Amino acid sequence: QVQLVESGGGLRQAGESLRLSCAASGSIISINSMGWYRQAPGKQRELVADITRGGIANYADSVKGRFTISRDNAKNTEYLQMNSLKPEDTAVYYCYADISSYSGNHVRTWGQGTQVTVSS
């Protein structure tokens, strides 16, 4: 069984920084794409950033220049460095990973979600 465990959420003031981590564990052969979505109250879940196994990153326009996604393939872990936080970044952040496992499955697996709250 494969799972993702997120950490690093919390409360910050506008302009501050926060780093989220997401570690995959289990019977993993390889991980292709990894990324982060977020969902604010009353809004749809939206893509924040994603990154290929080779390190090519893609960002939502709203976070470009402020957030940086990265990954450590040896540790099956991804990170989201969030700088210059704004109140509109307040949301529950969910990581995902497209995992190939020894059971033969190729599944998009999700983390449990972590709350990020930014006060003005």
Side-chain angles (χ1 to χ4, degrees), residues 57-91:
N58 173 60
Y59 298 93
D61 288 342
S62 58
V63 306
K64 280 181 182 176
R66 300 188 299 120
F67 290 10
T68 302
I69 188 171
S70 61
R71 61 189 287 174
D72 184 332
N73 291 331
K75 296 181 178 179
N76 290 331
T77 301
E78 62 175 315
Y79 307 94
L80 186 67
Q81 177 67 43
M82 303 184 292
N83 298 330
S84 302
L85 284 163
K86 302 177 180 180
E88 51 263 44
D89 295 320
T90 296

Side-chain angles (χ1 to χ4, degrees), residues 23-43:
S25 62
S27 300
I28 298 170
I29 296 177
S30 65
I31 301 178
N32 192 4
S33 177
M34 304 182 83
W36 297 86
Y37 278 74
R38 67 185 180 187
Q39 187 165 20
K43 295 187 177 181

Side-chain angles (χ1 to χ4, degrees), residues 46-66:
E46 63 173 353
L47 176 67
V48 177
D50 57 30
I51 186 168
T52 66
R53 182 171 179 81
I56 298 173
N58 173 60
Y59 298 93
D61 288 342
S62 58
V63 306
K64 280 181 182 176
R66 300 188 299 120

Side-chain angles (χ1 to χ4, degrees), residues 86-101:
K86 302 177 180 180
E88 51 263 44
D89 295 320
T90 296
V92 177
Y93 284 69
Y94 298 91
C95 65
Y96 77 84
D98 292 336
I99 295 174
S100 297
S101 66

Side-chain angles (χ1 to χ4, degrees), residues 6-12 18-20 36-41 82 85 87 89-94 112-118:
E6 299 182 38
S7 60
L11 174 64
R12 290 290 186 273
L18 196 61
R19 189 173 89 148
L20 306 181
W36 297 86
Y37 278 74
R38 67 185 180 187
Q39 187 165 20
M82 303 184 292
L85 284 163
D89 295 320
T90 296
V92 177
Y93 284 69
Y94 298 91
Q112 78 278 15
T114 187
Q115 177 70 46
V116 172
T117 302
V118 184

